[in-house]
Amino acid sequence: MPLRSLRNHLFKQRHVEVLVIKQIDGELVHVCGAGVLEGAGSVSHKRRELMHDNHAFPVRMHDGNQVLEPNDFNRLVLLEDVTLHPAGCRLKEAISLEVSGHRYRVAHTPMRCWRFTGHLILERTPQGMLLSTEDMTMIRAKAHRQPNVCITPSSSERIHKASSWRGIATKNHDGLRSVNAPSRSMNNQTAERQVRELELEPKY
């Protein structure tokens, strides 16, 4: 047996290789890529669990060596049970795949979307491949539904204070802008309060 084939054979005996499916849309699957199951348990135990639709295993991805948790994906499929099309292509080049006699179109999910919790939609690359991307429609709609920001009591109080001392700008006989002085009928207590507010307010 060639050295490479022997190495692959030993690797398969020690690890369970799976295809990680992020999302299923009818006849289309969003595929993150391939990886190996992590966690406790023997190879035979993990394989049995997958056969019984238990996908609660972390997966160490071949690309990037990242570990995806069960809540990051939808389903795991034994890589040996997957047939890629066109025949003989690499996973990243697959247009469709076949599992248990059923064929699905493939959308390739980039790393940035592996932990995205929302819905994925499709883009088409210049080469004609389907690419998964984040659907931001719901997020934008939610942002647009946010109520208008109300003025807090402190802000309201600040506006009230500002209007009490800034006055109305007018032009004098020399053409210069000045601030109207308080009315002479104002009592001394009110005038002193305005002076204190003026001193405490920040200078704009």
Side-chain angles (χ1 to χ4, degrees), residues 59-97:
V59 180
R60 184 171 296 277
M61 303 297 291
H62 290 329
D63 290 339
N65 204 35
Q66 296 187 43
V67 176
L68 298 185
E69 299 298 332
N71 58 348
D72 292 326
F73 50 80
N74 181 282
R75 191 174 181 85
L76 303 175
V77 180
L78 285 171
L79 194 59
E80 63 194 55
D81 293 340
V82 178
T83 303
L84 302 177
H85 299 280
C89 72
R90 296 184 301 171
L91 180 56
K92 290 183 177 181
E93 301 168 344
I95 297 175
S96 63
L97 59 82

Side-chain angles (χ1 to χ4, degrees), residues 132-144:
S132 306
T133 187
E134 305 93 329
D135 183 1
M136 306 301 290
T137 306
M138 296 299 295
I139 297 176
R140 293 193 188 100
K142 184 177 180 180
H144 289 322

